[in-house]
Amino acid sequence: MFHNLKPQPADKILALMQMYREDPRDQKIDLGVGVYKNAEGVTPVMRAVKAAEQRIWEEQDTKAYTGLAGDPAYADAMIGLILGTAVPRGNIAAVATPGGTGACRQAFELIRMANPTARVFVSNPTWPNHLSILNYLGIETVPYRYFDGETRGVDFDGMIEDLNSANAGDVVLLHGCCHNPTGANLNLVQWQEVVNVINARGLVAMIDIAYQGFGDGLEEDAQATRLVASSVKHCLIAASCSKNFGVYRERTGLLMAISADAGQTRLNQDTLAFLNRQNYSFPPDHGARVVTTILTDDALRADWQAELEEVRLSMLGLRQQLANELQRLSGSDRFGFIAQHRGMFSRLGAAPELVEKLRADHGIYMVGDSRLNIAGLNASSVPILAKAIIDVGV
Ligand code: LMR
């Protein structure tokens, strides 16, 4: 049997992570996988997470199963965090999932069950694993224009034109904030136009929100998701706690399906629980419990928000420092977009040969499409990166 297996394409982000680990050079900089590192190069356990874990350790008296949808208190807390009061709770079906990837996977399976001919419109570019999972599930994808290689901003006219070619029932996958891999985002006026196209053409919105709190602030980063969720007929939201709670390995995510009809919401809820049962039965609980403990305790929540804000501001500072350094070295403003982008990533817009040269000659690792993880930098590696970027001729 096993001899029938064929090698699968390596995930580019994870392959890069491995290459970095195996690189024996002392002078190397990892700007690949989207993991936050502090000035010491460490991905710390957040203070509130440690405190919540201690509390759980002291108070938890059973490890018995929760429910197929996970602990309802987790869904309530996450819905509050992401949607605030934008959508009535009774319109939201929600299940805990293993990370944001698990939420995306379950969302795609739900789409396929509900409408096997639906196509999923994806930004060009999008997170590579979106495409990989969609292809694996046999769901047709259609790219819509998104990144403008000249301005390094959003090609909004192209995006709207492409979305206008979608058919009723097709799904539009959007990044709620901090677009991965480009760092280029829509403003709220543009989001409203996207909503108008979704409604005019009878499309289904799907939002992947994995970086809430990493862009303009916790509330600000949720605004687009709230706008879409409260304005369209059908909406799926895949959320991740990996980054904003720093609980990467705990696999903590949530999938929501929003529908204005109470009967439909019950069916959505039952179907999501069914999908959990088929794929892994009960979703992981530890990370979800940590997140719930933090979000439902005023002091822990305040401390978490303060630390998240430190992380966000440090990334903004690094963006500005890198943009300034590149301006100094190049004598031009052509790298100003780095300070405008938001979230963990920026797409530099460098050719693959130059990305390879950065790795081979300078030990600087970024994804082949020239996505760099701003959170992998620190004050002393910024000048090294800037110099290397200019040296290789970006
Ligand atoms: C990334 O894009 O680097 C992160 O979302 C991590 C991952 O799983 O790819």
Side-chain angles (χ1 to χ4, degrees):
M1 176 186 84
F2 295 136
H3 63 271
N4 291 322
L5 294 174
K6 295 184 179 52
Q8 298 299 322
D11 182 285
K12 291 190 180 70
I13 298 172
L14 303 187
L16 196 71
M17 210 168 142
Q18 189 58 27
M19 269 170 91
Y20 176 81
R21 282 185 185 151
E22 287 166 3
D23 187 334
R25 286 175 285 189
D26 289 333
Q27 284 276 340
K28 53 178 181 173
I29 304 176
D30 179 12
L31 306 178
V33 70
V35 169
Y36 169 76
K37 294 194 192 120
N38 64 17
E40 287 75 47
V42 174
T43 304
V45 180
M46 294 178 86
R47 297 185 298 262
V49 168
K50 270 281 185 212
E53 285 184 317
Q54 180 163 11
R55 192 176 296 177
I56 292 165
W57 183 80
E58 281 161 3
E59 293 175 4
Q60 190 172 53
D61 50 14
T62 180
K63 292 280 188 193
Y65 291 125
T66 53
L68 280 181
D71 183 352
Y74 169 65
D76 289 344
M78 284 293 286
I79 288 168
L81 178 69
I82 298 163
L83 291 178
T85 54
V87 178
R89 179 67 182 90
N91 294 356
I92 309 170
V95 287
T97 56
T101 307
C104 286
R105 167 69 188 249
Q106 299 297 71
F108 296 152
E109 292 211 23
L110 186 79
I111 290 165
R112 194 176 57 170
M113 270 175 100
N115 182 2
T117 59
R119 302 175 298 168
V120 177
F121 279 61
V122 290
S123 61
N124 183 12
T126 191
W127 183 48
N129 211 23
H130 283 150
L131 294 170
S132 181
I133 301 173
L134 285 161
N135 289 340
Y136 177 67
L137 293 174
I139 297 173
E140 189 183 340
T141 58
V142 183
Y144 60 83
R145 273 170 282 173
Y146 188 82
F147 189 65
D148 182 332
E150 282 299 311
T151 63
R152 268 81 153 180
V154 177
D155 173 4
F156 188 65
D157 291 344
M159 174 176 179
I160 291 294
E161 198 179 318
D162 289 347
L163 293 185
N164 267 312
S165 72
N167 299 328
D170 283 338
V171 178
V172 183
L173 177 51
L174 299 152
H175 298 223
C177 62
C178 307
H179 185 268
N180 178 7
T182 67
N185 297 289
L186 303 180
N187 61 39
L188 276 179
V189 176
Q190 293 171 323
W191 274 102
Q192 182 60 56
E193 264 198 68
V194 170
V195 164
N196 295 346
V197 174
I198 290 173
N199 286 336
R201 302 198 67 82
L203 311 179
V204 176
M206 174 173 166
I207 298 178
D208 184 354
I209 179 160
Y211 298 90
Q212 187 184 350
F214 272 39
D216 291 313
L218 206 50
E219 289 295 305
E220 291 81 350
D221 290 349
Q223 276 179 4
T225 304
R226 291 174 188 179
L227 172 70
V228 175
S230 60
S231 324
V232 304
K233 199 159 170 225
H234 301 296
C235 183
L236 288 160
I237 301 173
S240 170
C241 300
S242 297
K243 279 76 181 190
N244 53 6
F245 288 86
V247 289
Y248 304 86
R249 64 175 63 170
E250 302 297 352
R251 312 312 299 136
T252 309
L254 188 82
L255 174 60
M256 294 179 236
I258 297 173
S259 175
D261 180 274
Q264 184 64 57
T265 301
R266 260 193 309 280
L267 180 60
N268 292 347
Q269 184 67 48
D270 290 347
T271 311
L272 292 180
F274 168 84
L275 280 174
N276 267 7
R277 181 64 167 161
Q278 304 320 302
N279 284 322
Y280 38 74
S281 216
F282 298 87
D285 179 73
H286 181 73
R289 197 156 295 274
V290 166
V291 166
T292 312
T293 303
I294 294 170
L295 291 179
T296 55
D297 180 284
D298 288 347
L300 288 181
R301 187 178 178 126
D303 190 40
W304 167 67
Q305 278 186 216
E307 192 170 357
L308 179 60
E309 188 63 2
E310 284 165 30
V311 167
R312 185 180 80 82
L313 294 177
S314 90
M315 286 190 298
L316 278 184
L318 289 164
R319 284 188 177 282
Q320 194 60 56
Q321 192 194 347
L322 182 59
N324 292 349
E325 191 65 10
L326 284 165
Q327 186 193 40
R328 195 178 66 76
L329 294 176
S330 70
S332 85
D333 287 331
R334 68 196 161 93
F335 293 100
F337 64 89
I338 293 174
Q340 307 306 320
H341 285 169
R342 283 295 177 273
M344 244 182 184
F345 307 114
S346 267
R347 181 184 259 206
L348 208 50
E353 312 82 75
L354 300 186
V355 173
E356 176 52 27
K357 223 169 147 38
L358 282 167
R359 190 187 63 76
D361 299 354
H362 299 271
I364 293 171
Y365 285 71
M366 62 181 77
V367 184
D369 65 357
S370 73
R371 181 192 87 168
L372 60 97
N373 173 18
I374 296 291
L377 288 166
N378 57 46
S380 41
S381 58
V382 165
I384 301 171
L385 171 66
K387 186 174 177 310
I389 288 174
I390 300 300
D391 278 358
V392 302
V394 176

